[in-house]
Amino acid sequence: MADDELEAIRRQHMAELQSKHGDPSNDQQGQQEAKQRETEMRNSMLAQVLDQSARARLSNLALVKPEKAKAVENYLIQMARMGQLGGKISETGLIDILEKVSQQTEKRQLSSSTDER
């Protein structure tokens, strides 16, 4: 093997060891990259299942109620992964989903508030 190849293997091995054994700067950068990849994957899936007007509505909702938008996104991604979506969802379809998610969160809030009593 050439010296260049050995050096490249050493650097790669050293990087692997640092990531496994907690080089803090590398770990934080890795976490940021993983978070960015997850965000890109979510956006890609949502682009596949929502039409333009539905995406716009979801974006507007995310500005006002980020928790609710995240819940709807999770619901849509879960439905897409299970193959339960028959095509792109329109804005009216998204409104129906928003109502379902709102009802579910209200039920959870009611049950948790009665548990506290």
Side-chain angles (χ1 to χ4, degrees):
M1 259 189 229
D3 288 339
D4 292 337
E5 289 179 61
L6 284 173
E7 186 60 32
I9 292 171
R10 284 189 190 118
R11 278 194 300 254
Q12 182 180 3
H13 186 65
M14 185 61 122
E16 289 173 5
L17 288 174
Q18 286 176 341
S19 68
K20 284 182 184 175
H21 296 292
D23 180 9
S25 64
N26 230 1
D27 190 38
Q28 189 176 20
Q29 183 180 2
Q31 286 177 348
Q32 287 176 342
E33 288 174 1
K35 194 172 188 176
Q36 184 177 1
R37 278 193 305 271
E38 179 187 346
T39 302
E40 288 172 2
M41 185 185 77
R42 288 175 68 87
N43 289 338
S44 172
M45 279 189 100
L46 291 171
Q48 291 174 9
V49 299
L50 295 174
D51 71 9
Q52 199 63 34
S53 60
R55 288 197 66 191
R57 181 173 285 270
L58 188 58
S59 294
N60 289 338
L61 177 67
L63 294 173
V64 180
K65 295 186 176 182
E67 322 79 39
K68 185 176 273 191
K70 196 73 152 175
V72 171
E73 289 174 2
N74 291 338
Y75 179 79
L76 289 168
I77 289 170
Q78 181 181 6
M79 297 285 286
R81 285 184 176 156
M82 292 167 36
Q84 295 180 341
L85 299 177
K88 286 201 173 200
I89 296 175
S90 66
E91 187 174 4
T92 54
L94 181 65
I95 291 170
D96 293 340
I97 291 170
L98 285 167
E99 290 171 356
K100 285 180 189 175
V101 169
S102 292
Q103 289 171 356
Q104 289 174 351
T105 54
E106 286 173 16
K107 287 178 185 176
R108 284 190 201 129
Q109 289 172 349
L110 288 174
S111 66
S112 66
S113 65
T114 56
D115 291 344
E116 293 173 0
R117 289 182 190 169

